[in-house]
């Protein structure tokens, strides 16, 4: 799975054009396949085996591409109010929120976003229906009473203060920074 991160603004280029550039440069796909959305709103390529997902926050865009379903989320640093903590953090997840409360919340939020996007159901999955656990430095998700096979990777060093999480079936992730 490859994750591409670029400094970006909507005015500079639509994310679809950046995705087309990545496909051309790294996957030798000259013409970007048509991008459609399924009944839940998840984007996909018509008649192409590659899966992708897109997220943007602040001045950055992140695109994940995989041979399997994938979800990604990037979040710029921002202050999170206590009400949001109570709404988002499930009782089983309290142990994931430590002294770096704001950063821990953003980490958990990006994990949740990447999961629901990989599942293809978006925020239609109720927060109370799943929770995250941490085991041996790995994040795991329990959904509907069972552990799911997803692999989660978090990147916090590439862009200072931002948090990015990607959810997929592949264990290895290449984080690729691009200019423009």
């Amino acid at each position: 799975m490859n994750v591409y991160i670029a400094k970006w603004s909507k005015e500079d280029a639509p994310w679809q054009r950046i995705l087309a550039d990545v496909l051309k440069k790294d996957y030798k796909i000259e013409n970007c396949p048509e991008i459609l959305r399924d009944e839940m709103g998840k984007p996909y390529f018509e008649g192409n085996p590659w899966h992708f997902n897109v997220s943007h926050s602040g001045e950055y865009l992140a695109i994940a591409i995989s041979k399997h379903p994938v979800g990604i989320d990037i979040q710029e640093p921002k202050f999170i109010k206590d009400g949001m903590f109570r709404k988002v953090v499930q009782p089983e997840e309290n142990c994931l929120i430590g002294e770096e409360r704001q950063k821990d919340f953003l980490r958990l939020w990006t994990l949740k976003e990447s999961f629901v996007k990989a599942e293809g159901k978006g925020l239609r999955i109720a927060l109370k229906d799943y929770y995250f656990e941490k085991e041996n430095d790995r994040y795991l998700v329990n959904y509907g009473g069972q552990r799911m096979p997803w692999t989660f990777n978090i990147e916090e060093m590439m862009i200072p203060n931002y948090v990015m999480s990607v959810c997929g079936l592949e264990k290895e992730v290449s984080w690729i920074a691009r200019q423009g």
Side-chain angles (χ1 to χ4, degrees):
M1 170 179 0
N2 292 325
V3 174
Y4 300 87
I5 299 110
K7 203 161 191 178
W8 174 77
S9 74
K10 291 178 189 175
E11 295 77 35
D12 292 341
W15 64 262
Q16 294 91 334
R17 193 179 95 211
I18 295 170
L19 175 61
D21 289 345
V22 166
L23 292 173
K24 188 174 187 175
K25 286 179 189 173
D26 293 358
Y27 297 86
K28 309 303 181 224
I29 299 172
E30 285 299 317
N31 297 312
C32 185
E34 184 177 4
I35 298 170
L36 302 175
R37 292 193 180 267
D38 66 17
E39 64 279 351
M40 295 292 192
K42 184 175 181 174
Y44 69 95
F45 293 127
E46 176 68 26
N48 190 291
W50 292 100
H51 295 261
F52 73 96
N53 201 245
V54 178
S55 181
H56 57 84
S57 182
E59 53 186 8
Y60 289 94
L61 172 74
I63 300 172
I65 300 176
S66 174
K67 289 195 180 261
H68 307 283
V70 64
I72 190 164
D73 190 49
I74 181 172
Q75 289 294 319
E76 67 181 317
K78 56 186 164 187
F79 180 78
I80 310 299
K81 296 179 182 175
D82 284 341
M84 188 65 134
F85 276 88
R86 288 189 296 276
K87 182 177 177 182
V88 171
V89 180
Q90 300 305 301
E92 299 87 350
E93 297 168 329
N94 284 328
C95 61
L96 301 177
I97 306 296
E99 290 181 19
E100 291 186 277
R101 188 171 159 82
Q102 296 289 318
K103 184 96 170 196
D104 292 342
F105 178 86
L106 282 180
R107 188 178 299 118
L108 182 60
W109 180 259
T110 62
L111 286 166
K112 287 176 177 270
E113 282 278 329
S114 70
F115 165 65
V116 298
K117 290 169 85 175
E119 277 285 316
K121 297 176 184 170
L123 295 176
R124 290 174 183 91
I125 297 177
L127 289 169
K128 64 179 176 37
D129 290 344
Y130 68 98
Y131 61 89
F132 277 85
E133 302 170 287
K134 192 171 182 183
E135 189 176 278
N136 299 325
D137 292 330
R138 290 183 53 226
Y139 288 94
L140 305 165
V141 64
N142 186 306
Y143 176 43
Q146 63 182 336
R147 277 204 178 148
M148 301 302 287
W150 299 108
T151 298
F152 296 91
N153 289 276
I154 298 175
E155 171 56 49
E156 298 179 32
M157 304 301 287
M158 192 174 288
I159 305 169
N161 299 317
Y162 278 70
V163 177
M164 292 176 277
S165 292
V166 64
C167 171
L169 296 174
E170 299 169 72
K171 292 185 182 351
E172 297 299 318
V173 175
S174 296
W175 299 91
I176 303 163
R178 289 274 167 88
Q179 298 298 318

